Amino acid sequence: MPKGQGNTIAQNRKAGHDFFIEETFEAGIVLKGTEIKSIRAGRVNLKDSFARIDRGEAYLMNMHISPYEQGNRFNHDPTRTRKLLLHRKEIDKLIGETQQQGYSLVPLKVYIKNGVAKVLIGLGKGKKKYDKREDLKRKQAKRDVDRAMKESLQ
């Protein structure tokens, strides 16, 4: 199964608006206890989450996994820092890339692949305000062209 394919649970749609995604990496997530059950139930939010490389290891910050309803005392902190499972070469490459000005690691989506929770991380360069406006203009123009084509066919 190709990278980024699987049963998609949550997507970070704002990442495409705020960043130019140059490269993507598939990473496993180290989870505790009832977190996987909450993920399978679709109770994940990637808003405001980001990844960071610290002391040679990758971590996912601020990803919100809601507490599992039947978990009672076994539930964990919803926004705790979670370790990401990447190959050493990928981590070394990400260290070099994120050292550059304007680059950051953004989680794009969480999905289940072969029964295991994965996160797709993108290496993104932040967009400026004028880049965002240009994208919105391009999308609106495409929408207008599609609408005109549809009307002309009827």
Side-chain angles (χ1 to χ4, degrees):
M1 193 176 290
K3 177 171 65 173
Q5 296 296 312
N7 185 11
T8 301
I9 305 297
Q11 280 190 312
N12 189 356
R13 291 192 178 104
K14 198 149 173 71
H17 180 70
D18 292 338
F19 295 94
F20 293 112
I21 304 298
E22 297 184 359
E23 196 171 354
T24 59
F25 298 91
E26 182 179 74
I29 314 169
V30 176
L31 299 171
K32 290 187 177 178
T34 58
E35 289 177 331
I36 187 63
K37 293 184 178 194
S38 287
I39 289 176
R40 287 181 198 278
R43 302 186 50 138
V44 181
N45 190 351
L46 291 175
K47 186 179 177 189
D48 299 329
S49 62
F50 60 96
R52 175 176 285 158
I53 308 286
D54 188 28
R55 287 184 244 124
E57 294 186 349
Y59 294 97
L60 187 60
M61 316 284 203
N62 288 345
M63 182 174 80
H64 188 276
I65 299 177
S66 298
Y68 185 59
E69 275 117 24
Q70 286 82 32
N72 58 43
R73 65 183 179 145
F74 298 107
N75 280 323
H76 299 282
D77 179 27
T79 58
R80 73 177 184 87
T81 300
R82 294 167 180 90
K83 186 175 175 182
L84 295 177
L85 304 173
L86 289 163
H87 292 285
R88 173 58 47 201
K89 287 183 180 179
E90 291 175 332
I91 291 175
D92 292 342
K93 183 175 183 178
L94 288 174
I95 289 171
E97 295 286 342
T98 55
Q99 298 286 323
Q100 298 177 24
Q101 186 68 31
Y103 281 92
S104 58
L105 296 174
V106 184
L108 301 175
K109 67 180 182 176
V110 174
Y111 54 95
I112 303 289
K113 180 177 177 182
N114 299 330
V116 180
K118 303 275 187 181
V119 63
L120 189 68
I121 293 188
L123 179 66
K125 185 168 177 65
K127 286 184 182 179
K128 304 284 189 234
K129 201 168 203 168
Y130 56 85
D131 291 328
K132 293 178 188 179
R133 278 193 226 116
E134 194 64 37
D135 278 352
L136 287 174
K137 286 178 191 174
R138 196 175 304 119
K139 283 181 186 176
Q140 186 62 40
K142 184 181 183 316
R143 223 177 275 135
D144 292 342
V145 168
D146 289 345
R147 190 176 301 125
M149 291 292 287
K150 187 177 179 182
E151 288 175 3
S152 68
L153 292 175
Q154 292 178 354

